[in-house]
Amino acid sequence: MRSAPDAPTRERIRDAAIAAFAERGFDAAGLRDIAQRAGVSAALIVHHFGSKEGLREECDAYVVQTLVTDKGRIAGGVASAMMREALADRQRYEPLLDYMSRMLTSDTAAADDLFDSLTAATRTLLEQQAAAGMLRPQSDMEVTVTAVTLYGLAPVLLRRQLARSLGEDGLTETLLRRLTLPLLEFYTHGLYADDRLLTAAHDALERPIGPPSGKGENDPHQDPDPPLAD
């Protein structure tokens, strides 16, 4: 049975792995590289985490816990404190964002595992907010969960484009502050001033799929083209 390393050593190995995976990708980053970064032996990593895969699972859990699950405190009414914390501690958060960006864009099962973990954490967060009376009723909660997850990941995966489009050099404090209110306004009040598009969508979705007459192009009973007027 593997024994757990002392907390500082375990955290050092985890942080070194996060940096290595973010920089080189999961497949390219070897245990020796991670061990050198952490100042331990590769054998020690295997002894405590079982394998590189086990270490990756530890990294995933920490990233999800830090970036999503901990934000569950927002449902408890301390949203402003959480936002200040994120703005003030960029050194803690940026390596985790680098890790997510690299891992999620890889064509691997590890990317799927990380996305599934992020989705599950988002679902828990939204359920907490719904229980706290913060969330409106949703027509399809699973779609909402996936959409919120994807929307939250967009600034991580497109950080360069996001910063460039708003005239900043990376995720600066100025950019993060500028994003805070518009994004919360979007979530809180929505984008449209009335429900015309929503009503039109409801109406369209209630109609059967296909030509209005119910006859396809190759229907032998379809009326021929009308004669041209003289």
Side-chain angles (χ1 to χ4, degrees), residues 68-132:
V68 183
T69 309
D70 282 353
K71 301 302 181 288
R73 287 182 286 164
I74 291 176
V78 289
S80 60
M82 289 298 299
M83 292 173 189
R84 287 196 301 270
E85 176 185 324
L87 288 171
D89 200 0
R90 288 178 56 211
Q91 286 187 334
R92 178 190 181 196
Y93 286 98
E94 281 191 320
L96 309 186
L97 298 179
D98 290 339
Y99 174 89
M100 281 211 307
S101 181
R102 167 72 79 162
M103 296 294 282
L104 285 170
T105 53
S106 65
D107 186 17
T108 64
D112 296 339
D113 289 344
L114 178 56
F115 183 80
D116 290 346
S117 296
L118 290 166
T119 301
T122 300
R123 181 181 296 103
T124 299
L125 173 58
L126 292 180
E127 289 172 350
Q128 290 173 346
Q129 292 176 335

Side-chain angles (χ1 to χ4, degrees), residues 1 20-22 25 27 31 44-45 55-56 60 71-72 79 87 90 100 110 122 127 155 161 194 197 215 220 230:
M1 182 177 180
F21 293 152
D27 290 336
L31 286 181
L44 182 65
I45 296 177
L55 178 56
R56 193 271 305 167
D60 280 3
K71 301 302 181 288
L87 288 171
R90 288 178 56 211
M100 281 211 307
T122 300
E127 289 172 350
Q161 288 77 6
D194 58 48
L197 287 178
K215 298 177 182 179
D230 292 336

